[in-house]
Amino acid sequence: MIAIIDYGMGNLHSVGKAVERLGAEALVTSSPEEILAADGAILPGVGAFGDAMANLRETGLESVVKEYAASGKPLLGICLGMQLLFDESEEHGTHTGLGLLPGKVVRFQGDYKVPHMGWNELVFTQESPLFSGLNPGHVYFVHSYHALPERKEDLLATTDYYQPVTAIVGRGSVYGMQFHPEKSGELGMALLNNFVKLVANKASNL
Amino acid sequence: MLAKRIIPCLDVKDGRVVKGVNFVNLRDAGDPVELAAIYDKEGADELVFLDISASVEGRATMIEVVRRTAGEITIPFTVGGGISSTDDMKRLLRAGADKIGINTAAIRNPDLIGEGSKIFGAQCIVVAIDAKFNSEWGEWEVFTHGGRNPTGIRALEWAKDAERRGAGELLLTSMDADGTKDGFDLELTAAVSGSVGIPVIASGGAGHAEHFVDVFAQGKADAGLAASIFHYKEVSVREVKDALRAQGVNVR
């Protein structure tokens, strides 16, 4: 069972459907008990960083996500959900994040179009179980802010948008994808499938 | 580098695709979900559903189409047509749409752009602009109601205003080029794309694959949209991408 954490932000339906299409059970939930009991958890998110953290606090889910991450069961943040894993973001003022990964989230700055919207090619910067059996290709991004991980070893893949942009991060069992794997064709589904497998492996080893 | 996007557009009325659809291996030519899945497999980068239902029942049916589509396809899709409130947006986004297109309602109530952007994020607010050259002005004018009503608003000004108000993307249709199959309106597209800092989807006039090469190279578009040439199989999404690749345009 994979919990899709519902804290009032984002398109939960698509993520849940995608997980189900991969043959895993998905449960869209805001219940701390259900989240903590799940074998894997996905933190989705569309919208503003500050609103998202405010929602996580109001619903009491901030501590639940942190507790979940500490349990060592796989957690995947998607899009804004990935950004929330970091220490802080400068989106509409400085906001504190979940602090599961050291680093911050900053706005794209330059003479180019923002949001970074559309299909861009991944570059795998190190090995990861998420990449098992896969070759890098295009995935679908849409974001105006991007994450700057403090530790190079947390960065698993980048893409190029006038600079190397953080695309996939991971440390221990905490993962994040800046793009939308559920909207990224075959490669997106394959990456999500590797996460689902990771969850299954972990669950059978516990 | 960011790839240029190819976007088929489906007109949907009362839950069925209208306008020509000429697909082999399609059990039911009128089912938008089935057609969406085929375009996904063919390599389309995104889809646009334009709801042209005139009734409340037709719009309710669209929600069901959106829900089924979201469960079938693995690429983003936009829904436009008849959306005039943030409640309308919320219903479609909850059902699984990724972006919302607004056109006439945004002209009537420009605050709708900012309201939608604030609640759901700029990335899902697409402002659709139907523009036609006004020879008296020497520039393009915005039309509404599917191109029937002139507004007296200059397209370039409106594009900039929409961006300022929080639009995440513009869907720009040239009424002069639409239906001609002579190619996109490169001048209009380049003028709008050069005036804003958000992505521009060019629409209207695509007749063959080379037209997409032009709209990216000269029109400075970020995406190209077409309807009938894809539906009638005059050219496939694959062929367009091959042509673009051959010309050095970055595609998925």
Side-chain angles (χ1 to χ4, degrees):
Chain A
M1 168 71 75
I2 294 180
I4 316 289
I5 303 169
D6 180 4
Y7 59 106
M9 304 285 284
N11 190 347
L12 309 159
H13 179 88
S14 303
V15 178
K17 279 279 177 200
V19 168
E20 283 171 3
R21 232 183 304 164
L22 293 166
E25 249 184 293
L27 178 68
V28 175
T29 175
S30 56
S31 144
E33 293 76 24
E34 285 179 340
I35 294 168
L36 291 170
D39 303 317
I42 294 180
L43 184 66
V46 167
F49 192 101
D51 293 347
M53 282 310 298
N55 281 12
L56 278 172
R57 283 189 192 114
E58 274 164 31
T59 53
L61 291 176
E62 182 188 14
S63 58
V64 173
V65 176
K66 286 180 177 172
E67 189 181 337
Y68 190 91
S71 75
K73 289 191 283 188
L75 170 70
L76 173 66
I78 294 177
C79 197
L80 177 64
M82 179 202 87
Q83 298 185 356
L84 296 174
L85 303 175
F86 286 89
D87 291 327
E88 62 174 45
S89 168
E90 60 169 38
E91 184 173 358
H92 308 306
T94 303
H95 297 277
T96 307
L98 292 167
L100 298 172
L101 297 173
K104 57 183 183 174
V105 178
V106 301
R107 190 171 167 87
F108 281 112
Q109 294 283 3
D111 188 20
Y112 48 82
K113 294 196 174 183
V114 178
H116 169 220
M117 182 187 281
W119 296 81
N120 211 335
E121 201 164 5
L122 291 176
V123 177
F124 297 160
T125 51
Q126 52 180 307
E127 281 181 32
S128 164
L130 285 182
F131 306 153
S132 169
L134 302 181
N135 293 316
H138 286 87
V139 289
Y140 188 82
F141 290 86
V142 49
H143 58 128
S144 300
Y145 292 78
H146 62 110
L148 302 174
E150 224 164 73
R151 293 179 300 215
K152 209 179 165 201
E153 64 265 32
D154 295 349
L155 185 64
L156 303 180
T158 60
T159 193
D160 182 48
Y161 190 60
Y162 300 91
Q163 65 214 291
V165 173
T166 299
I168 304 179
V169 290
R171 183 172 189 88
S173 57
V174 175
Y175 293 95
M177 298 181 187
Q178 177 62 67
F179 53 91
H180 287 271
E182 77 283 9
K183 293 287 168 183
S184 292
E186 277 175 29
L187 179 57
M189 289 301 277
L191 286 162
L192 204 54
N193 195 32
N194 278 343
F195 176 75
V196 169
K197 280 191 207 157
L198 213 88
V199 170
N201 288 343
K202 195 91 182 181
S204 63
N205 287 338
L206 282 177
Chain B
M1 198 173 53
L2 198 60
K4 298 294 187 183
R5 288 171 280 154
I6 303 300
I7 307 177
C9 176
L10 304 174
D11 285 358
V12 179
K13 189 177 185 201
D14 303 326
R16 309 285 293 169
V17 177
V18 294
K19 259 189 185 172
V21 173
N22 185 15
F23 262 93
V24 279
N25 302 326
L26 195 62
R27 279 169 295 139
D28 173 5
D31 181 18
V33 181
E34 200 174 340
L35 199 55
I38 289 177
Y39 281 127
D40 180 359
K41 282 190 191 72
E42 276 198 340
D45 297 307
E46 258 179 80
L47 292 174
V48 170
F49 284 129
L50 186 59
D51 185 11
I52 55 170
S53 305
S55 63
V56 175
E57 295 78 17
R59 301 214 177 281
T61 309
M62 192 65 204
I63 300 280
E64 200 37 51
V65 169
V66 168
R67 189 165 288 127
R68 284 171 53 219
T69 304
E72 279 291 322
I73 69 173
T74 59
I75 56 175
F77 68 102
T78 301
V79 180
I83 294 151
S84 57
S85 69
T86 53
D87 280 347
D88 291 344
M89 295 179 185
K90 188 187 248 173
R91 270 190 289 276
L92 290 162
L93 292 169
R94 281 248 172 104
D98 298 285
K99 304 179 195 180
I100 297 297
I102 46 175
N103 187 338
T104 302
I107 296 276
R108 201 183 288 142
N109 171 24
D111 289 342
L112 186 60
I113 302 170
E115 287 164 15
S117 183
K118 191 162 176 292
I119 301 173
F120 310 111
Q123 80 290 332
C124 67
I125 305 299
V126 182
V127 172
I129 302 177
D130 293 343
K132 189 176 182 181
F133 194 73
N134 180 319
S135 49
E136 270 176 46
W137 298 353
E139 61 174 293
W140 297 269
E141 180 176 4
V142 178
F143 280 63
T144 58
H145 298 87
R148 288 193 301 277
N149 302 348
T151 61
I153 297 168
R154 290 165 198 266
L156 293 182
E157 283 310 308
W158 176 231
K160 284 187 255 189
D161 194 24
E163 177 184 20
R164 249 189 323 264
R165 289 172 178 277
E169 195 168 30
L170 299 177
L171 167 51
L172 176 67
T173 301
S174 162
M175 293 168 50
D176 299 303
D178 202 24
T180 62
K181 297 196 178 177
D182 288 337
F184 292 96
D185 188 333
L186 303 178
E187 217 183 317
L188 167 67
T189 309
V192 171
S193 189
S195 319
V196 295
I198 51 178
V200 173
I201 304 167
S203 157
H208 55 79
E210 290 299 318
H211 290 152
F212 288 89
V213 177
D214 298 339
V215 85
F216 295 134
Q218 296 165 52
K220 307 290 175 206
D222 298 282
L225 176 143
S228 58
I229 60 160
F230 292 138
H231 304 332
Y232 284 117
K233 283 257 159 199
E234 289 167 27
V235 62
S236 69
V237 173
R238 248 329 130 220
E239 285 163 348
V240 170
K241 294 221 168 162
D242 288 344
L244 288 167
R245 219 172 271 120
Q247 297 290 323
V249 178
N250 184 26
V251 288
R252 173 168 75 111

